[in-house]
């Protein structure tokens, strides 16, 4: 009997290929919900396809994904439901496609939010990343399109980046399936709490605003002790977001906060 | 108690908002950008910024330039169409040989040995089977070429450039610049184009985009345009120019469709859908070399087969209906003949005929079956024995034979030109109508989007017919 020699990769958690089952659209009975957010045209749909084995068409134009696409995968016998959100540049404005993304991250309470960014355009993409990190505690940065970044001779120190952002950073080239096993492993570790995130909070704001946010946030915390994103709610209240005010008034918030 | 506290929080936030003043939003945004800049500075090392994406910028300079932008767009459209038209010929005739010349007689023979009654045999094999076979033979090859080409352009990153080039025109017509993207999707399938309008935020501009999407010639209509142009337009020029002339005519119709789209968008935005043009920013993505084989595979599986399946699902019952109206008699004329006679007068006014109008009624579920229906009904009316009997769809051996049959049915160059115009300007197919209803959730706008193009079609063909008859 011939025994195949085990390569180093086989024993590594990151290459646990046998534990991965792409479930396509079968999203019934899942253990974790994973949201996929990011700027338009960063390859979210490609990452989505790579994870779920679906072949949703991916186009090279912003706005390709107009609806919330859902898919699933199984990893080490835990089921993950993946929700591909429409691409947005920001969560601060009130346009309708941003609302889908914002509401899901805020109220859908995904276990982990994967933020897909274009490695060559990191600075512009960070605008959205920092906003999402205000909302959620569990996130993974998927540094996608690394092949293009390499071609443009852009070097990114993922370790310092991860430290500054307070979340794990996984470089990928989803088109070529590079980095996807590592991404899955990281998602599962964040979902299970093996990796604990300490997300970056916006620092460069004037003192008076910081104080106001601090104040409101404590008030909200008093009212809803379980609210993980009281700071963001405070931001929205200061902005005068009618949607949030209505939710607070109607008490529907209670359901979301649980 | 609880309520009081929440009101208290909201009241506090209102007070604080007054204290902070208007700059809150800007301050927050600036804060985020400052943080982002710090983080990037610490972790990202970029070589000379100017070196980056130089090739992209060079390509963009040409593709989106004022001089070359439009000619290049038409050139690309022409090349895609040319490849589709020329490339589809061979597989189309092979499929027709197989499905219509070999399998159909075999099925008929098998049915007769089994002793199946003539009406059942006619209904199933001549009606349902032939309609489906025709749709596969005529539609599959052009779609299998057109969709992958379109998808390759999409993956390459060309579509946002089209939007960029056309933005000015959209602004002038009071519509949203992103309508260029939904319009492009419409060239593949109007139902897909209507769904794609979700990228347009403003409800007003989205409605305009939905109503005018039908002016993008869809995949079900390209074959009609191509066939009629080949038979009639190609015939009026020396044979060496026939290909170019018919290609030019098809592109002409497509461009005319775009003109109508702008015109109707403008008219709508000046009347019932008044409002400001909203601004938006459109990122021109970097050019990405498409992954050829993967694109080919996904566009075949995701688009071609899905659209083909839809066509088959609709063609099968339509084939049955055609067979039935040709074989059910009221008095001594068939229902089809009676319909054709009653619509002939109106058809003449439009420079068309009763056969064409009946075909367009039968073909509401799928534009693809217009031509086979026309041929079948023409045989019924003229009594020319080109086909295989009443209500039987067929593929004539050659384009010439099709032309001869149509001429025997009283067709002139005017009929051909007006058919091409009417194919552009008529109601959307039933799938698109249903999609419009689902997207707008409004019966009123669904009716407008369905009726408006037909009315335009009547007006345009009527005017062309009158002027033509005056001059010729």
């Amino acid at each position: 009997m011939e025994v195949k020699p085990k390569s180093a990769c086989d024993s590594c958690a990151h290459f646990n290929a046998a534990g991965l089952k792409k479930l396509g659209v079968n999203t019934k009975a899942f253990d974790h919900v994973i949201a996929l957010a990011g700027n338009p045209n960063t390859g979210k749909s490609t990452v989505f396809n790579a994870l779920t084995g679906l072949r949703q068409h991916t186009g090279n134009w912003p706005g390709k994904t107009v609806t919330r696409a859902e898919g699933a995968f199984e990893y080490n016998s835990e089921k993950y439901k993946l929700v591909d959100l429409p691409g947005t540049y920001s969560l601060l404005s009130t346009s309708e496609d941003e609302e889908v993304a914002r509401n899901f991250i805020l109220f859908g309470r995904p276990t982990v939010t994967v933020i897909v960014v274009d490695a060559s355009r990191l600075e512009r993409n960070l605008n959205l990343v920092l906003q999402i990190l205000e909302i959620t505690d569990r996130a993974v940065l998927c540094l996608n399109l690394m092949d293009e970044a390499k071609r443009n001779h852009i070097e990114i120190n993922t370790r310092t980046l991860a430290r500054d952002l307070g979340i794990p950073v996984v470089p990928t080239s989803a088109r070529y399936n590079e980095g996807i096993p590592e991404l899955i492993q990281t998602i599962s570790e964040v979902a299970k709490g093996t990796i604990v995130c300490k997300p970056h909070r916006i620092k460069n704001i004037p003192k008076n605003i910081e104080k106001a946010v601090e104040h409101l946030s404590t008030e909200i915390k008093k009212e809803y002790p379980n609210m993980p994103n009281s700071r963001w709610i405070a931001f929205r209240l200061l902005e005068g977001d009618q949607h949030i005010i209505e939710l607070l008034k109607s008490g529907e918030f209670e359901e979301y906060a649980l | 108690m609880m309520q009081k506290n929440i009101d208290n929080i909201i009241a506090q936030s209102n007070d604080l908002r007054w204290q902070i003043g208007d700059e809150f939003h800007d301050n927050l945004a600036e804060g985020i950008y400052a943080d982002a800049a710090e983080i990037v500075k610490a972790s990202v090392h970029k070589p000379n910024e100017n070196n980056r994406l130089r090739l992209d910028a060079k390509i963009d300079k040409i593709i989106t330039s004022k001089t070359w932008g439009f000619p290049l767009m038409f050139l690309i459209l022409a090349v895609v169409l040319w490849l589709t038209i020329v490339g589809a010929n061979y597989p189309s005739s092979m499929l027709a040989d197989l499905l219509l010349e070999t399998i159909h007689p075999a099925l008929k023979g098998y049915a007769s040995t089994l002793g199946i009654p003539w009406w059942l045999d006619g209904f199933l094999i001549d009606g349902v089977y032939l309609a489906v076979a025709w749709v596969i033979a005529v539609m599959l090859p052009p779609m299998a070429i057109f969709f992958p080409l379109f998808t390759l352009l999409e993956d390459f990153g060309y579509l946002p450039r089209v939007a960029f080039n056309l933005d000015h025109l959209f602004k002038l017509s009071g519509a949203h610049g992103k309508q260029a993207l939904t319009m492009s999707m419409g060239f593949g399938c109007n139902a897909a184009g209507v769904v794609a309008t979700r990228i347009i935020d403003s409800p007003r501009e989205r409605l305009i985009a939905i109503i005018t999407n039908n002016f993008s010639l869809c995949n079900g209509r390209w074959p009609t345009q191509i066939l009629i142009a080949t038979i009639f337009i190609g015939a009026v020029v020396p044979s060496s120019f026939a290909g170019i002339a018919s290609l030019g005519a098809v592109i002409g119709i497509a461009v005319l469709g775009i003109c109508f789209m702008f015109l109707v968008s403008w008219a709508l935005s000046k009347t019932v859908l008044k409002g400001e043009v909203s601004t938006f920013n459109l990122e021109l993505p970097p050019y990405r070399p498409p992954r050829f084989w993967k694109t080919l595979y996904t566009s075949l599986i995701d688009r071609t087969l899905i659209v083909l399946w839809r066509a088959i699902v609709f063609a099968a019952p339509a084939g049955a209906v055609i067979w039935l109206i040709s074989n059910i008699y009221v008095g001594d004329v068939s229902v089809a003949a009676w319909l054709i006679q009653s619509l002939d007068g109106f058809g003449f006014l439009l420079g068309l005929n009763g056969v064409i109008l009946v075909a367009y009624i039968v073909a509401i579920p799928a534009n693809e079956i217009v031509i086979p229906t026309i041929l079948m009904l023409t045989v019924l009316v003229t009594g020319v024995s080109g086909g295989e009997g009443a209500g039987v769809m067929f593929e004539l051996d050659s384009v010439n034979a099709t032309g001869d049959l149509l001429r025997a049915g009283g067709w002139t160059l005017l009929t051909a030109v007006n058919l091409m115009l009417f194919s552009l300007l008529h109601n959307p197919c039933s799938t698109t109508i249903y999609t419009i209803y689902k997207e707008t959730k409004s019966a009123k706008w669904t009716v407008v989007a369905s009726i408006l193009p037909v009315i335009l079609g009547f007006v345009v063909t009527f005017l062309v017919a009158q002027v033509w008859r005056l001059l010729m």
Side-chain angles (χ1 to χ4, degrees):
Chain A
M1 211 171 86
E2 195 184 349
V3 181
K4 271 191 183 166
K6 263 201 163 176
S7 76
C9 286
D10 288 335
S11 56
C12 168
H14 289 277
F15 285 86
N16 194 346
L20 177 67
K21 220 191 267 174
K22 294 176 178 178
L23 296 176
V25 287
N26 180 15
T27 57
K28 272 178 237 151
F30 46 85
D31 302 301
H32 307 288
V33 179
I34 311 298
L36 212 55
N39 279 24
N41 223 56
T42 50
K44 273 186 311 303
S45 299
T46 316
V47 173
F48 177 83
N49 288 347
L51 291 174
T52 56
L54 288 174
R55 284 183 306 265
Q56 211 192 32
H57 176 67
T58 54
N60 187 9
W61 51 284
K64 176 75 212 187
T65 309
V66 284
T67 45
R68 231 173 63 182
E70 298 189 353
F73 64 90
E74 189 182 308
Y75 185 62
N76 291 340
S77 43
E78 294 205 18
K79 283 188 178 147
Y80 295 80
K81 180 167 114 174
L82 196 64
V83 180
D84 187 12
L85 300 171
T88 53
Y89 292 104
S90 146
L91 300 177
L92 295 173
S93 82
T94 42
S95 89
E96 283 194 32
D97 54 338
E98 290 191 9
E99 196 138 333
V100 176
R102 181 171 53 214
N103 283 351
F104 190 80
I105 301 171
L106 195 55
F107 305 129
R109 305 291 293 270
T111 325
V112 181
T113 304
V114 177
I115 315 166
V116 183
V117 297
D118 179 347
S120 312
R121 291 163 186 74
L122 187 59
E123 185 163 351
R124 202 194 313 162
N125 283 210
L126 277 184
N127 178 39
L128 178 73
V129 176
L130 295 178
Q131 290 176 32
I132 293 175
L133 292 186
E134 282 291 334
I135 301 180
T136 176
D137 281 338
R138 295 182 186 194
V140 174
L141 188 77
C142 171
L143 201 54
N144 196 28
L145 301 169
M146 278 305 283
D147 50 321
E148 275 178 24
K150 269 177 205 147
R151 221 178 307 133
N152 293 321
H153 308 289
I154 294 170
E155 287 160 27
I156 300 176
N157 186 338
T158 51
R159 292 177 72 180
T160 54
L161 185 62
R163 198 187 57 214
D164 286 346
L165 291 174
I167 55 170
V169 173
V170 185
T172 61
S173 301
R175 259 149 63 94
Y176 306 99
N177 213 38
E178 276 166 31
I180 297 299
E182 292 86 342
L183 181 64
I184 293 172
Q185 173 66 19
T186 312
I187 291 172
S188 83
E189 282 177 34
V190 174
K192 285 191 279 193
T194 326
I195 298 177
V196 180
C197 303
K198 287 202 187 72
H200 173 278
R201 295 286 139 103
I202 301 165
K203 288 181 295 190
N204 283 302
I205 28 179
K207 276 267 149 33
N208 59 336
I209 293 181
E210 185 60 51
K211 254 193 199 154
V213 169
E214 227 22 81
H215 175 74
L216 276 180
S217 161
T218 12
E219 289 288 317
I220 296 165
K221 264 266 151 63
K222 262 191 235 161
E223 212 58 51
Y224 305 101
N226 294 325
M227 182 82 72
N229 37 36
S230 56
R231 217 172 106 94
W232 177 259
I233 305 289
F235 275 125
R236 295 313 294 166
L237 284 178
L238 287 176
E239 180 87 36
D241 184 332
Q242 281 306 318
H243 185 70
I244 297 278
I245 293 175
E246 302 272 298
L247 279 173
L248 275 174
K249 274 190 177 157
S250 68
E252 274 174 62
F253 232 56
E254 198 67 349
E255 296 161 33
Y256 291 122
L258 287 176
Chain B
M1 168 65 196
M2 191 77 163
Q3 191 63 34
K4 220 175 185 178
N5 266 332
I6 293 164
D7 288 343
N8 186 26
I9 292 176
I10 295 170
Q12 283 188 34
S13 74
N14 286 337
D15 287 348
L16 287 166
R17 198 179 318 133
W18 280 110
Q19 285 173 27
I20 294 167
D22 286 345
E23 277 93 64
F24 173 76
H25 190 99
D26 290 347
N27 279 334
L28 182 60
E30 275 166 24
I32 294 173
Y33 281 116
D35 277 20
E38 275 177 22
I39 293 169
V40 165
K41 206 177 162 198
S43 301
V44 179
H45 176 73
K46 275 182 199 171
N48 189 359
E49 182 83 23
N50 294 340
N51 255 340
R52 261 184 64 212
L53 312 173
R54 207 199 260 160
L55 184 65
D56 274 25
K58 265 188 189 158
I59 299 176
D60 271 340
K61 215 168 186 176
I62 301 167
I63 281 187
T64 60
S65 80
K66 284 204 171 116
T67 334
W68 296 106
F70 273 76
L72 270 173
M73 241 161 49
F74 291 124
L75 186 70
I76 290 174
L77 182 66
V79 169
V80 168
L81 283 183
W82 185 79
L83 285 172
T84 308
I85 295 170
V86 174
N89 265 337
Y90 306 97
S92 250
S93 64
M94 273 165 59
L95 277 173
D97 261 359
L98 176 71
L99 296 174
L100 305 167
E101 310 291 325
T102 316
I103 296 183
H104 181 248
L107 280 177
K108 290 293 268 188
Y110 191 59
S112 72
T113 55
L114 282 181
I116 289 174
W118 73 271
W119 53 269
L120 186 62
D121 160 275
F123 181 81
L124 287 178
I125 301 177
D126 294 336
V128 176
Y129 170 78
L130 269 188
V132 170
W134 215 94
V135 165
I136 293 177
V138 173
M139 279 189 66
L140 180 60
M143 278 198 320
I145 298 173
F146 181 83
F147 277 148
L149 285 176
F150 188 81
T151 316
L152 284 173
L153 275 180
E154 215 183 318
D155 285 356
F156 177 58
Y158 185 62
L159 288 192
R161 272 84 186 175
V162 171
F164 184 86
N165 283 342
L166 293 176
D167 183 50
H168 181 63
L169 288 174
F170 278 105
K171 206 170 174 183
L172 279 181
S173 62
H176 199 289
K178 282 190 194 168
Q179 196 176 319
L181 298 172
T182 64
M183 178 193 82
S184 306
M185 293 295 285
F187 281 123
C189 168
N190 292 136
V194 168
V195 175
T197 59
R198 290 179 188 177
I199 57 172
I200 298 171
D201 309 331
S202 122
R204 178 189 80 87
E205 287 156 331
R206 189 169 169 214
L207 259 179
I208 294 180
I210 288 176
I211 293 170
T212 57
N213 195 270
N214 191 41
F215 296 120
S216 293
L217 264 188
C218 73
N219 206 67
R221 294 183 272 171
W222 288 112
T224 308
Q225 300 287 349
I226 293 162
L227 186 71
I228 298 300
T230 313
I231 295 173
F232 288 93
I233 311 287
V236 293
V237 295
S239 60
S240 49
F241 295 109
I244 302 270
S246 39
L247 180 65
V250 175
I251 292 176
I253 292 285
V255 171
L256 189 69
I258 297 175
C259 295
F260 270 108
M261 188 266 305
F262 278 120
L263 203 70
V264 172
S265 298
W266 176 80
L268 286 171
S269 71
K270 286 284 171 277
T271 54
V272 282
L273 290 169
K274 266 187 206 151
E276 289 297 305
V277 178
S278 50
T279 53
F280 67 103
N281 55 50
L282 180 78
E283 194 175 348
L284 294 183
Y287 290 104
R288 292 183 177 136
R291 303 193 63 194
F292 189 77
W293 294 110
K294 203 175 166 203
T295 302
L296 212 64
Y297 175 79
T298 44
S299 71
L300 274 179
I301 298 293
D302 284 1
R303 292 193 176 177
T304 311
L305 290 186
I306 284 173
V307 176
L308 185 71
W309 176 243
R310 184 189 76 84
I312 289 173
V313 167
F314 281 112
V321 167
I322 294 168
W323 189 84
L324 282 176
I325 61 170
S326 309
N327 286 279
I328 292 177
Y329 282 75
V330 177
D332 52 0
V333 287
S334 65
V335 175
W338 177 80
L339 273 175
I340 290 167
Q341 275 161 25
S342 29
L343 288 172
D344 245 349
F346 183 54
F348 179 79
L349 272 181
L350 304 179
L352 300 168
N353 57 41
V355 167
I356 296 174
L357 294 180
V358 172
Y360 268 99
I361 295 171
V362 174
I364 286 176
N367 281 299
E368 295 82 8
I369 54 172
V370 163
I371 289 294
T373 310
I374 286 175
L375 292 179
M376 180 277 296
L377 293 175
T378 305
V379 171
L380 188 77
V381 175
T382 55
V384 174
S385 59
E388 321 199 357
V392 182
M393 276 192 190
F394 57 91
E395 161 91 311
L396 288 157
D397 307 342
S398 67
V399 168
N400 280 337
T402 311
D404 289 344
L405 173 67
L406 290 177
R407 283 189 194 93
W411 285 49
T412 60
L413 188 57
L414 170 65
T415 324
V417 168
N418 271 2
L419 173 61
M420 287 173 77
L421 288 170
F422 195 68
S423 158
L424 174 71
L425 303 168
H426 71 93
N427 57 285
C429 71
S430 53
T431 313
T432 307
I433 295 177
Y434 177 63
T435 311
I436 293 173
Y437 180 71
K438 272 205 310 201
E439 293 297 317
T440 59
K441 296 201 181 62
S442 146
K444 182 182 124 195
W445 289 114
T446 310
V447 169
V448 170
S450 312
I451 302 293
L452 185 78
V454 194
I455 294 173
L456 262 178
F458 286 159
V459 171
V460 169
T461 50
F462 175 79
L463 290 178
V464 169
Q466 302 319 309
V467 172
W468 188 289
R469 282 171 188 146
L470 269 179
L471 296 179
M472 296 287 162

